[in-house]
Amino acid sequence: MSGMAQQERTQWLGLLSRADCAWLEQLWLQLEQHLQPRMLAGPETGMLRLTTQASGSPVGFQFGEATCSRCVVEIGLHRGYAVQLGSDLRKAQLSACLDALFQGMAPTERAACLEPISLRLAEQQAERERLVASLTRAQQEMADLQDELALVQRESGEVAERTRISRD
């Protein structure tokens, strides 16, 4: 597989892994044409060890584990692979089947299949960004109100202290 084809495949595998299972199910029903994928591995669930490296440190460390699902299928001459976070076995199976199908498709046909998924994921990302912006504004407003409350309480305390001193 050429470098460009591998890059393209990496891109569609990323889209499949981020898509909802219902979207993949719908796409599979549109495309399957009574194909019978041969299961080579899975679908099965396992664990991944998550490691990272501190900035400037040559030594990595484990900071957790994550559940992942994988599946390998064969449709005709093409093998489809899926490894994704989570324990949704059906999604892993559908992703692997669609990967195998996409390998045999013309690029324009494949792009037409993936475009709705890309659009939905872009909409979800835009909604997440709107929510984060809204939460950030709300947090800033809360901080401003807390500062204002602290100032009012301080001024009120000063007035109360002056009143107490003038009585004494």
Side-chain angles (χ1 to χ4, degrees):
M1 188 175 278
S2 72
M4 183 61 115
Q6 185 63 38
Q7 184 180 7
E8 202 175 322
R9 186 170 181 218
T10 300
Q11 188 176 15
W12 85 58
L13 286 170
L15 286 173
L16 294 175
S17 72
R18 291 188 310 274
D20 287 344
C21 187
W23 303 346
L24 299 180
E25 190 78 57
Q26 183 180 17
L27 184 58
W28 175 248
L29 290 174
Q30 291 172 3
L31 298 175
E32 67 148 326
Q33 303 164 357
H34 306 291
L35 298 170
Q36 292 299 318
R38 189 166 68 104
M39 295 295 169
L40 301 178
E44 57 195 8
T45 300
M47 298 293 283
L48 287 175
R49 183 183 339 192
L50 304 174
T51 59
T52 192
Q53 198 169 347
S55 177
S57 171
V59 180
F61 62 92
Q62 179 180 345
F63 71 93
E65 294 177 335
T67 304
C68 71
S69 300
R70 77 176 190 115
C71 186
V72 182
V73 301
E74 191 172 69
I75 298 176
L77 300 174
H78 303 288
R79 278 193 181 177
Y81 296 88
V83 177
Q84 44 200 264
L85 292 174
S87 58
D88 191 339
L89 298 177
R90 180 65 178 155
K91 182 179 173 187
Q93 182 181 5
L94 289 167
S95 294
C97 291
L98 289 168
D99 176 40
L101 272 181
F102 288 162
Q103 290 175 54
M105 283 185 177
T108 54
E109 187 180 0
R110 183 174 47 244
C113 292
L114 291 170
E115 186 176 358
I117 292 174
S118 292
L119 291 174
R120 288 178 185 168
L121 290 172
E123 288 170 2
Q124 286 181 340
Q125 179 64 28
E127 180 63 22
R128 273 193 301 277
E129 289 172 3
R130 279 192 296 276
L131 286 172
V132 167
S134 172
L135 289 172
T136 303
R137 280 192 307 276
Q139 184 178 15
Q140 184 60 46
E141 288 173 11
M142 178 68 79
D144 292 344
L145 287 171
Q146 286 175 338
D147 289 346
E148 185 178 335
L149 176 63
L151 183 62
V152 167
Q153 287 175 336
R154 183 173 153 234
E155 290 171 355
S156 173
E158 288 174 354
V159 168
E161 182 65 15
R162 275 192 229 120
T163 304
R164 187 188 64 78
I165 291 173
S166 67
R167 284 189 209 150
D168 292 341

